[in-house]
Amino acid sequence: MWTPTKTNKYGVVIYNWHGDNPYGLHLEIGDTVQILEQCCGWYRGFVTKNRSVKGIFPSTYIHLKPSRIENEGTFETAIPLEDTVVREVSLVLRDWNCIWKSLYVERETYKFITLRKVMRELLEWRKQLLTGTLTQDQTRELKLKTTAKIDWGNSWWKHKSNKEKNINFGVSLLMKKKLNYLFPAYAKLQMSLTCPHLYMVNLMAKEKYPN
Amino acid sequence: MSLNKPEKMPSLDANVVKIAVEMESENPQLKEFNQKIPLTNIIQDLCSGWDLTDPEQYALKFSEKTNQNYVTEKNRNEIKNGSVLRLAFSPSKIAYDILQTLHSEGSDDKNERTSALQKLAECSTDITFALEFINKQGLALIISLIERGKCQGAMLANALASFVELMDHGIVSWDILETPFINMVASYVNNQTSRPQEAKVVQSSLSILESIVLNSSAKYGQVEKEVGFPNLVLRLENQNPIIQQNALSLINALFLKADPAKRKIIASTLCTKQVRNVILQNIIQTSSGEVGSEMAHQLYVMQTLCFGLLEERMNTKMDPQDQDAHEKIKELRKIAFELDTISGGDASRRQLSPFTKDYKKLGFKYDINPALDFTETPPGMLALDCMVYFARNHVDAYTKVVLENSCRADEHECPFGRSSVELVRLLCNILRIGELPSEQTTTYHQIFFSHDHPFHELYCVCIVLLNKTWKEMRATTEDFVKVLSVVREQITRALGSQPANLEKLRQKLSTLTYSEITNLWQQERTSREQWESHARPIVQLKELVTPEIVQLIKKQRLNYMVDGTRFTKYSPRGQRVKDKFWFVRLSQNHKVLHYGDCDDKSVPTIEELPNKLGVVDIKALLTGKDCPHMKDAKGRKSTHQLAFSLTLDSVEMTPLYFVAPDEMVYDYWVDGINALLGNKMTSKEADNDLETLLSMEIKLRLLDAEGVGVDIPQDPPPVPADPPNYEFCYDFK
């Protein structure tokens, strides 16, 4: 009997799954999946980067992660309960990766190398935030450093662009969308379009001093 | 029985193995040994081969270095092809002969009886013989021999050794032993003559008493009464390591089986400086410096039992009526805040301020009633004991720790009370206090034999460490868990280095700073990541992603060719033509190479390049020395390394000869042309680019698989059986 999952809603793939089984879903290690229903050791769901393709896969191939559900039912969305800054770094890095690869194709060697260095730094800081061995003070500091670096990177990228205005707006809009997604509760707040990460900094300050 | 290795002539019957049988002063027999035939028949057969009458007096024995036991119907399947067996007197015959000799008390030949006992001690290690001997009432005879005290010297040693061996098989219960026997054996332990032949007697006696204590609860009192502790301690000073070891084992057995009250008495004896020193000097710090594994295990057991005494306090909550405990809390306050004001003279103001304020400074969680801080178990009252011990015995360090943290106005103070409770809990956990000793462990800590109150002293060292680490981490009270995880790492690593005393421990800890621990953790993470990057699923992912990345490199190379490059002209003989250049570009649609002469500055557009070469017309790409224009080039070596040429299908057109200005240009062009021709890009640049782009891509793909708790498996996880149906709840059509 296939039954909707109650708590097992979201996870990361820990082993490549060919998907050659009936109704199978091809999975690559590192993919994140949203789980809809389960039956006898199998899950049915989809890879979050492609919601339209549903399929089944062994539950043993998934490491579950905590999440909360929005819009419960057929079209529900699982939102991972991750540290906001960690999540932000992942999203930003994946965005930057596209830019970085185009810098490569265009042979913008200096910028390519610079961006790579910054990306590696962010990767390392994200890792440190994840290990959970930092003290509160260190975590706070590292988060500030991280968001500042993201801001720097975004403005640097904007600066670099020839089609400045469009991209400028584009990146900010992207950021805004993302922030709305990350913090729906704050979505109604008026946000500065020019420097969304200042908003992040404020948000963190709020986390620390709720009042 | 199946044969492991296929033979040239396969034996048809898997039950038959080929063996040799020897016998003293006879020629060995080669035999086919059939596992299906009863042993008695086989023995009969062998006897007739050697003309032996009475085959029932013989039995087969294994003849290996590690195994000389009798062959029985149970263990005969251990016989393999090529085994060598020995025909010898049967257990029954030997047992009978030995008993005959021992019974004939009249016989004056002591030597005969001694050698019978020696034979007995040797044979008794084999359970087949032991059973036979015990069935013939042999054990009772040995017990009475020992009990009546009639044996001496070598005879006694062999009798005792035989007894140990016979009992070792667990055939007979230890409860059968009576008081006279125990008293007699104990007397051998107490008797401190040190003639060499006595050593074996003492060894066996200690071992027998240990077994009695461990296996016969009713006889504990008797053994304990008969063997004085001082006598056992004296035995620890013996130079014979087996005597030391057996004495320590007996001490541990007495300790382990004692009732709680007795246990405290034993522990207090063991913890005295005198006993500790005997152990340190005679066992741990010997000239050879080596401690055998059985001895190490006994030292571990002793340590575990000593620490076990802390269990009671560890699991005791503070009783609100416990006046003594309240006094101790007050004492903590007094030592910290009053000693320095006695001369200061501001005592009146002090007394006015409520103690609460001081308790807050002491870092108690419940500053109104610190007794509540000790209601959690573990560590319960043990924490208070440690704190008071620290305050009384290390006043300076204590006041320093407390005052340092009570004067800070920020949130970075390390609360002494709370951190002590947490630390003692941590130490109890690290040292596994309250657990029974395990059978296998051989890790003991010399450091705990170096002090009367090793646990409390360890706490004193570690509370100072915790404070230091706290400061290094700039921690706040929110960070307790994290600070403790670092402190745990520091303590386990320092203890792991086996420091000989507290000072050495302190030194070791001082090198394990917070930053050192973070470094070590970082190293562990890196090596884990390295290991993971070779994990199968990740290697698969790399293979999956590589074509995508190769396309990217190809695109970059072709773009580069579209932008074009200026080359220096070379003659077909490989001679550089001075100040002559030519320019080559790839068309936007990647189908035609346009080229033509140019000067050293201009960048001609595609329209300005008169000559064309269709990519389809290219026959092959030649590089280096294979190039026609480099065939007989004798010039500078580097030239031919940067040379490449395009040969063409049509003979009418001349091939294109290139010499790149540097390696990068060379790599880019060779990659690009290979890409155009549908070949693999093989340059060093291409490898580097692939590595750079691929490693970033993989890192980013695995972002969500990072972090605590996610383990990348090396092998595919198990796949369940197909689901019984595909009638899903959610329908998206």
Side-chain angles (χ1 to χ4, degrees), chain A residues 1-4 9-10 12-17 22-23 26 28-32 36-37 39-42 44 49 54 56 58 60-61 63 65 73-76 82 87 90 93-94 97 100-101 104-105 107 112 116 119-120 123-124 126-128 130-138 140-141, chain B residues 411-412 473-476 478-479 482 514 521-522 525 529 536-538 540-541 544 548 552-553 555-557 559-560 563 668 689 692-693 695-697 699-732:
Chain A
M1 273 291 287
W2 287 89
T3 48
K9 281 294 175 193
Y10 178 85
V12 61
V13 176
I14 51 166
Y15 211 94
N16 305 300
W17 174 247
Y23 298 94
H26 172 83
E28 285 169 15
I29 184 170
D31 283 345
T32 48
L36 297 163
E37 47 190 310
C39 175
C40 316
W42 293 83
R44 180 165 179 255
K49 63 187 176 198
K54 273 87 174 174
I56 70 167
T60 44
Y61 279 57
H63 175 88
K65 288 191 158 190
T74 314
F75 300 104
E76 65 195 13
E82 248 179 330
R87 178 114 195 106
S90 316
L93 279 174
R94 283 177 180 145
N97 190 31
W100 184 63
K101 285 196 274 195
Y104 171 76
V105 174
R107 281 177 287 116
F112 174 75
R116 175 174 174 226
M119 286 168 81
R120 287 180 156 218
L123 275 168
E124 180 54 37
R126 182 182 176 279
K127 200 175 287 169
Q128 285 178 15
L130 272 178
T131 51
T133 51
L134 300 178
T135 63
Q136 301 286 328
D137 265 17
Q138 289 167 326
R140 219 168 279 138
E141 248 167 54
Chain B
E411 53 190 3
H412 288 282
M473 291 177 76
R474 289 185 297 120
T476 60
E478 294 164 308
D479 298 316
K482 276 155 196 169
Y514 169 56
W521 278 344
Q522 174 73 36
R525 268 210 304 278
E529 268 160 35
R536 249 170 62 195
I538 294 179
Q540 283 172 0
L541 183 67
L544 218 63
E548 215 174 281
L552 213 59
I553 301 172
K555 205 168 150 195
Q556 194 245 35
R557 299 294 196 260
N559 271 356
Y560 178 75
D563 287 349
Y668 274 30
D689 289 359
T692 308
L693 292 163
S695 79
M696 181 66 82
E697 184 73 24
K699 276 193 185 116
L700 295 182
R701 290 256 197 151
L702 294 176
L703 279 183
D704 290 301
E706 231 177 291
V708 189
V710 190
D711 274 321
I712 306 288
Q714 190 62 243
D715 296 312
V719 177
D722 281 347
N725 61 61
Y726 299 97
E727 291 154 22
F728 305 123
C729 327
Y730 292 99
D731 188 5
F732 294 94

Side-chain angles (χ1 to χ4, degrees), chain B residues 57-75:
Chain B
Q57 289 198 353
Y58 294 92
L60 282 170
K61 286 180 110 174
F62 289 97
S63 184
E64 291 156 33
K65 258 192 188 147
T66 51
N67 181 7
Q68 306 207 344
N69 286 347
Y70 282 105
V71 178
T72 62
E73 293 294 345
K74 268 185 198 156
N75 65 16

Side-chain angles (χ1 to χ4, degrees), chain B residues 228-336:
Chain B
F229 240 85
N231 283 328
L232 290 178
V233 173
L234 273 175
R235 290 302 183 189
L236 290 177
E237 289 178 61
N238 196 299
Q239 290 310 302
N240 182 328
I242 297 177
I243 290 183
Q244 288 182 331
Q245 186 177 302
N246 290 0
L248 194 58
S249 304
L250 178 55
I251 291 175
N252 281 334
L254 286 167
F255 199 167
L256 185 70
K257 294 286 171 179
D259 57 62
K262 185 123 255 162
R263 207 177 261 202
K264 266 183 202 160
I265 298 170
I266 297 177
S268 60
T269 319
L270 287 179
C271 286
T272 55
K273 200 161 192 172
Q274 184 225 342
V275 178
R276 275 193 298 106
N277 278 346
V278 167
I279 293 175
L280 261 181
Q281 285 164 12
N282 294 288
I283 298 177
I284 299 175
Q285 296 166 339
T286 53
S287 52
S288 73
E290 274 172 41
V291 176
S293 66
E294 178 53 31
M295 185 59 105
H297 173 69
Q298 290 303 337
L299 289 168
Y300 152 81
V301 170
M302 184 170 173
Q303 205 154 70
T304 310
L305 292 172
C306 283
F307 278 143
L309 293 170
L310 300 167
E311 187 188 357
E312 192 198 331
R313 291 295 276 173
M314 175 182 88
N315 286 326
T316 308
K317 289 180 187 176
M318 177 155 169
D319 175 359
Q321 310 300 322
D322 185 344
Q323 278 315 307
D324 177 53
H326 283 292
E327 284 309 315
K328 279 181 175 167
I329 294 174
K330 282 183 194 153
E331 190 183 342
L332 285 174
R333 194 198 64 82
K334 211 166 167 183
I335 297 175

Side-chain angles (χ1 to χ4, degrees), chain B residues 555-704:
Chain B
K555 205 168 150 195
Q556 194 245 35
R557 299 294 196 260
L558 295 181
N559 271 356
Y560 178 75
M561 288 171 72
V562 169
D563 287 349
T565 305
R566 184 189 307 114
F567 292 95
T568 312
K569 270 211 161 168
Y570 276 75
S571 74
R573 305 282 310 271
Q575 295 294 317
R576 183 178 169 159
V577 185
K578 227 184 174 187
D579 295 335
K580 291 259 183 171
F581 301 93
W582 63 304
F583 201 90
V584 193
R585 267 182 195 278
L586 180 66
S587 66
Q588 286 290 348
N589 63 7
H590 302 164
K591 287 193 169 154
V592 185
L593 285 169
H594 297 257
Y595 61 95
D597 291 351
C598 69
D599 60 38
D600 64 341
K601 283 193 184 70
S602 66
V603 178
T605 61
I606 227 160
E607 290 76 24
E608 290 165 342
L609 296 170
N611 309 313
K612 286 184 198 173
L613 168 63
V615 171
V616 284
D617 296 323
I618 300 171
K619 188 177 156 199
L621 165 72
L622 299 175
T623 56
K625 283 228 157 146
D626 297 335
C627 292
H629 63 302
M630 289 295 139
K631 276 270 157 60
D632 34 32
K634 285 168 192 153
R636 287 163 305 167
K637 262 190 188 166
S638 60
T639 314
H640 71 76
Q641 280 168 356
L642 298 173
F644 59 98
S645 52
L646 297 172
T647 60
L648 307 173
D649 280 329
S650 147
V651 207
E652 290 148 37
M653 293 170 78
T654 44
L656 292 184
Y657 304 123
F658 299 79
V659 175
D662 59 44
E663 267 177 66
M664 200 202 80
V665 176
Y666 172 85
D667 282 354
Y668 274 30
W669 271 86
V670 170
D671 284 343
I673 294 164
N674 271 326
L676 284 173
L677 299 178
N679 300 334
K680 223 178 145 209
M681 296 180 285
T682 52
S683 74
K684 211 171 74 196
E685 279 299 313
D687 287 350
N688 286 345
D689 289 359
L690 180 64
E691 168 61 29
T692 308
L693 292 163
L694 190 61
S695 79
M696 181 66 82
E697 184 73 24
I698 297 294
K699 276 193 185 116
L700 295 182
R701 290 256 197 151
L702 294 176
L703 279 183
D704 290 301

